[in-house]
Amino acid sequence: LAFGRPTSFTGNTTVTIDTLTAQDGLTHSLGALTTGSFTLTLQPGANLNLDTPYGLTFAATTLAGNPMTLNVANNGTGLGTVTLGSLSNAAARGLTKTGAGTLLLNAASGTLTSGTAFLVNNGTLQLSASNALGATALAAVTLTPTIGSTTALFDLNGQNQTILSLTLGGATAAASTNATVTTGAGVLTL
């Protein structure tokens, strides 16, 4: 479903993707998103068939809070995905990604400020457009899996990206975890 309405959340929010009757997973689309300093949790509803993918897509996204946490759950083996359009901010604001699902950035960024932080504690930060994190070295990406036996993944998905810094692990990383970068045919420049 495509609702196309501008969206902002004023506090911690859980969005459940569901239907009236049982069916395979689906993706809902909303308009532009303005973030705050809160947690947005995405989860599958009771009527989505287990092990099917589902998601929530936003258009252009303004990072106004610091940080916004995106907690994306999978649906069994079905991938849960939050997709954000072109990112912009007026100050160094960032995102923290938790949950086993994927945060997909699907457009080149608008105006990002140097030092914009992207922290992946679990799951995947994936690009589907070159320069989704800025056309120059603006973003600091940190992969710090905080739950044992999990992976924090930065996936260029064949796209080109220049970033300010890349940190793997860190003081809060849990034992038996993986911090991984994949590029495909893309180029990561630091």
Side-chain angles (χ1 to χ4, degrees):
L1 291 174
F3 296 102
R5 305 262 190 231
T7 306
S8 62
F9 299 102
T10 57
N12 293 340
T13 303
T14 298
V15 176
T16 302
I17 303 297
D18 211 351
T19 62
L20 294 175
T21 59
Q23 74 173 58
D24 286 347
L26 72 149
T27 297
H28 290 306
S29 297
L30 299 173
L33 172 66
T34 300
T35 71
S37 299
F38 56 83
T39 299
L40 173 60
T41 299
L42 181 68
Q43 64 187 20
N47 287 325
L48 291 186
N49 292 333
L50 185 63
D51 301 326
T52 61
Y54 77 104
L56 181 61
T57 298
F58 294 98
T61 301
T62 301
L63 304 176
N66 195 35
M68 176 185 171
T69 299
L70 289 168
N71 180 10
V72 185
N74 283 334
N75 182 20
T77 60
L79 186 63
T81 302
V82 169
T83 302
L84 301 180
S86 179
L87 300 176
S88 62
N89 61 14
R93 305 287 190 232
L95 291 170
T96 298
K97 164 67 184 70
T98 63
T102 296
L103 169 58
L104 178 66
L105 305 179
N106 72 354
S109 72
T111 304
L112 281 181
T113 304
S114 183
T116 299
F118 294 87
L119 171 62
V120 181
N121 286 337
N122 190 3
T124 301
L125 171 60
Q126 185 179 58
L127 309 183
S128 67
S130 290
N131 301 321
L133 299 176
T136 59
L138 300 173
V141 177
T142 302
L143 305 176
T144 305
T146 55
I147 300 171
S149 301
T150 61
T151 297
L153 172 65
F154 179 40
D155 181 5
L156 266 63
N157 191 32
Q159 307 301 318
N160 297 323
Q161 184 65 61
T162 299
I163 59 175
L164 182 65
S165 65
L166 176 64
T167 303
L168 303 174
T172 60
S176 301
T177 59
N178 295 306
T180 306
V181 177
T182 62
T183 60
V187 175
L188 178 63
T189 305
L190 297 171

